[in-house]
Amino acid sequence: MGIFRKDKDKPVRPTGPEEVTANAADEAEQEEEYTDINAAVTESSSESQNESDGMEEIYSTHDKRIKYKRLAPIEEEAALKRKAATKRELVRGKLEFSSDGGYIAPEVELEAEIAPDAVVAEDIIEDVHEVKSLRSVYIQDIDEIDISLDPMENLREYERRATDKERYEERHTPKVVIPYQSTGEKIVSRVPMYQHDSKIEKIFLKAGKFTEVVESEYDEYLRSDDPTISKNYHAMQKAIKPRQSLLFTLSQMAQKRKEEAEQHKEQKVQKEVRENFDEEPAPIQKKKPSAVGRFFRVIGTLVTHSFATQSAKTNSNSSDYNSREDEQYVLNDIKENIKHLAIHTVVFGLIAVTMLVLQILIGSLTDKTRESIGVGGAVLICGVNLLLTLGMGVVARGYVVDGLRPLARLSGNSDTGFALAYTGCLLQSIVAMFAAPTFINGEHHLYSFVAAFALMLNTLGRLLMAIRVKSNFSFITSHSPAYAAKIYKDEETARRMVSGTTASKGVVAYQHVTRFLSDFLKISYAPDPSEEVSGKVTPITVISSLFVTVVYAIIFKSIPGTVSALSVMLCISVPFTALLAGNIPMLLFSKRMLKEGAMVAGYPSVRQFCDTSAVMVSAAELFPKGCVRLDEIVPYQRLRVDENLLMAAAILREANSPIAPVFDELVQENSGRLPNVESAIYEDKSGLVGWINGERVLVGNMTLMNRYHITIPDRGTITKNKQVTYVAVSGQAVAMLLLRYLPSNISMPQLQRAEDHGLAFVVSTPDPNVTAEMIAEAYGIFYRSVKIMPTGYANTIDEVTSKVEETSRAYLATRGRVSSLARAVGGCIGIKSNITLGIVIEIFGLVLGVLLCATLALYSSVARLSIVELMIYILFWAAATIIAELIRRP
């Protein structure tokens, strides 16, 4: 069997064999002729048999008879073309033919697989599973097969033909299902009803595929997206609501309310749990304390709070900043420390001022007034002094205990001098209660004020240290990248690097990226040399004080005088600026470095970098983006200029050349894409040689061009006061770049100050234009302070500066600018010399004070050593120590 379509353009003339009857010939003239399109799909056996005759068999769908026509040569060619086109359409799975009227031919192909007199509809439908019982299917036209499935008619036909009682009962047994859109509805399902996804009236089938197509369509129906079809393979009849009594309805409503109440209760409980555990509770409104309450709270804090000394903090690793999770804890601890130190400084200052007023009051008493107040008034004044001394001891008990403890090992710390002075003043205050008139009449003097003043200065020094730690902690906990400063360990290589420069030692500093800065608190709270020296000097001053006291007792034979001599000798032996001399310059230096993008944690950082003689620098850091400007470009070619310059830009960026940013605009115009660089090598004092896509790219000076026999055309361009760089690709000159190198306004003062501290700069560069003379002229430094490294050493510099460490010790850190590193390292060199100078002045004043007090006490008794003379001497040397450290800016 075949399906045919009209072909009005090519009518078929009835020329055939004698087997064609006259009646058939008449009908052929009246009928519309058909062209067989089945021949374009398969090469049938009938076509091969009639090939010798040149005849084509035509099957008529009207009279079920075979007709023939003879193919002309031109028709054969057209048939072959149609055959090829039809095969291509069949490969895509769709074959459509349209006539001039826009009629879409049905995509059906029927073959004679059954006899012409067979009942096609019943036989084929019987073979389809799930549809065998549908007997009402009929074929209206063999050309266009219509399938009509009436569910009610099918049901009646099925019931008439049913002979099996169980089958009949099974098909009529109602099945209750719950539809997907409603609840409580009863649906009675009976017989499947065919419903296509889209509204269609006909199904077009290919010959021989009738059974498969019908079965496939029915399977697709069963897999419909509609749940009433896919879940229930039966037709849906009208939904019938079950009859419900009023009692049942009320019970359902009550059950629903109960469930809603339980759900609301559960949500309320969960909300309370979240508020108690997951979320922060609402702030509690506290009553504002009264002034009296605040006063007693401060007093309680002063009495109950025990401060750990700095040495204890240094030896405590558990409280250090060890990970990012400790950030808030450490910050709170630092803030709490600052708060208590500030309170203590104020309290010690008030005590000192009160004692000073008391001493001034005693000194202003006349003989008549002393006689009028008598012994009771003298005892009262000495009692007030004793109470103030005891209160000072209670607040500063931690310092006193920590200062006296090392004496058992004949050593000391920064608190030892104060602890001894306080002990002597406390002993004198107790003795003064039994000899009050002698202290009021001017024969002896109370020296507790000196101990209070020394304690106030030392506490102020600790407060400045805590403020410095807080500022530096904000630097290392920020989310900006951190670069840790290091000293290059290979001393021999470092010595060769700095040879020929002004550097005297082979100590070279560099920096690299680090992810975490460790040991921050340990380094920050470490004692400075002033504290260390005071701890070493204190045992000597103690021995001297005891010696003077014994001699005084032998000479004057007075217990109040002996105690006063011991007290004054211990007070003058206190290093008043032990903590101020180191922390004031360190705080100012740290604040200045933070503004310039660097962090110096403490004096161990100064000790680590104070011997540095040079800093590793790259040319790209000396001349960052914007410092190299392109004044003019002279092209030597007209073709592929942009492409060749992009290749040069890729080579420059690969080598980290300072010229690379010049091509940023060109790169952006090409969507930021650069060709892949296969290799790039820097030839000393010449330029870069690279390979891209098999082409050699040269970027350098005339020496490099001559070495590779590149001819540079003479354009007569003025190149005076400009740096020239040539670009050549594949042996041909591409362009000449006229460049200007400008110094960084931010880096210039920092490099100049670093050079003032004796630092040199070892530079790695892939740019032959960057020379020591050019850098020295641009930045205003001595040319012997700069050295350009050859390729081998330059590779070493690039290797150590480009590595990334997970953890580095927080001695010195920057944000990546080499100028900040040079400034910080140079500052470490300068501040060490300043602190050393301050220590020398402090020790000199301390020794001189001990000698003067000892001389005056033994020569004319302690009555000559009043508070006024002592304070003038102490303030003078304290100011001299601090001013000497701050004169020269590090």
Side-chain angles (χ1 to χ4, degrees), residues 527-542:
D528 56 63
S530 180
E531 296 181 65
E532 295 175 352
V533 171
S534 63
K536 295 177 182 179
V537 171
T538 299
I540 300 175
T541 57
V542 171

Side-chain angles (χ1 to χ4, degrees), residues 681-725:
I681 300 174
Y682 175 69
E683 297 188 4
D684 291 337
K685 301 180 181 181
S686 298
L688 291 167
V689 181
W691 290 88
I692 297 176
N693 298 329
E695 296 184 83
R696 184 177 61 193
V697 182
L698 305 177
V699 184
N701 54 20
M702 184 61 73
T703 304
L704 183 67
M705 299 296 113
N706 293 335
R707 186 177 301 165
Y708 286 90
H709 309 287
I710 305 298
T711 302
I712 303 298
D714 187 8
R715 296 294 179 88
T717 305
I718 299 176
T719 60
K720 187 178 180 180
N721 298 328
K722 298 178 182 179
Q723 302 293 335
V724 180
T725 298

Side-chain angles (χ1 to χ4, degrees), residues 35-36 39 50 54-58 67-71:
T35 302
D36 187 2
N50 299 331
M55 305 296 291
E56 183 179 0
E57 181 178 320
I58 302 175
K67 302 179 182 180
Y68 297 88
K69 74 174 182 177
R70 187 177 299 275
L71 292 175

